[in-house]
């Protein structure tokens, strides 16, 4: 598994810079979206794990970051939010954060983020979402597991505006299509 520290890039570290304010803004955005302290704590822990990747001075592999970033959802019960989608809110939030990192961070980080996503898909089946409390919507009985990337396709497609909307330049749209192809090639996106 590829390392996500500075050494993984050899003599050519990634070009481009991510302002640490990006991480703080995501913590604030996704923490403010819920009054539920459990969900806010999950989001903070996920973004803290992503910051380990960003800092790149921690010698962590993609597999280690994948375990750290999924641990809050894997080890917590479904937060009681009072909605019909309580069991998917934390998961969908994680997918949004990773999707935003893929498209908003410099492209030099793209391969490492894809490696982390690939490592998430390789987590053991015993590592279930919300301790196995979150279940497949179709069967209602099968616990959600990481290797199927549940709801990732939904998050990706709902967040992919057409260039004609004016929300993306042609260049940004083309980059997202390339990322989408890479996600499909690594079986993250179905």
């Amino acid at each position: 598994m590829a390392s996500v520290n500075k050494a993984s890039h050899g003599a050519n570290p990634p070009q481009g810079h991510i302002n640490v304010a990006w991480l703080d803004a995501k913590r604030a955005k996704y923490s403010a979206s819920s009054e539920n302290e459990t969900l806010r704590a999950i989001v903070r822990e996920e973004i803290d794990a992503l910051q380990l990747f960003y800092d790149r001075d921690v010698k962590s592999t993609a597999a280690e970051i994948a375990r750290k970033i999924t641990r809050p959802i894997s080890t917590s019960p479904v937060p009681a939010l009072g909605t019909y989608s309580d069991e998917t809110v934390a998961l969908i939030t994680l997918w949004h954060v990773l999707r935003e990192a893929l498209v908003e961070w410099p492209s030099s980080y793209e391969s490492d983020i894809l490696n982390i996503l690939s490592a998430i898909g390789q987590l053991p089946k015993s590592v279930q979402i919300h301790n196995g409390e979150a279940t497949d919507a179709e069967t209602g009985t099968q616990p959600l597991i990481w290797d199927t990337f549940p709801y990732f396709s939904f998050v990706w497609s709902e967040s992919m505006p057409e260039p004609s909307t004016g929300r993306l330049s042609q260049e940004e749209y083309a980059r997202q299509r390339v990322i989408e192809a890479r996600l499909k090639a690594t079986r993250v996106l179905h």
Side-chain angles (χ1 to χ4, degrees), residues 5-15 56 108 112:
N5 61 34
K6 290 176 186 169
S8 72
H9 299 284
N12 299 316
Q15 299 301 308
R56 292 178 183 249
S108 56
D112 284 340

Side-chain angles (χ1 to χ4, degrees), residues 88-138:
T88 62
V89 172
L91 178 63
I92 287 173
T93 300
L94 173 62
W95 295 149
H96 274 289
V97 169
L98 289 171
R99 184 202 185 285
E100 290 165 6
L102 267 171
V103 300
E104 294 173 12
W105 287 13
S107 60
S108 56
Y109 288 86
E110 193 176 294
S111 289
D112 284 340
I113 296 171
L114 290 169
N115 286 339
I116 291 168
L117 282 163
S118 181
I120 288 172
Q122 295 173 20
L123 289 169
K125 292 190 185 315
S126 62
V127 179
Q128 300 172 346
I129 296 166
H130 291 304
N131 290 319
E133 291 178 22
T135 56
D136 181 272
E138 291 179 22

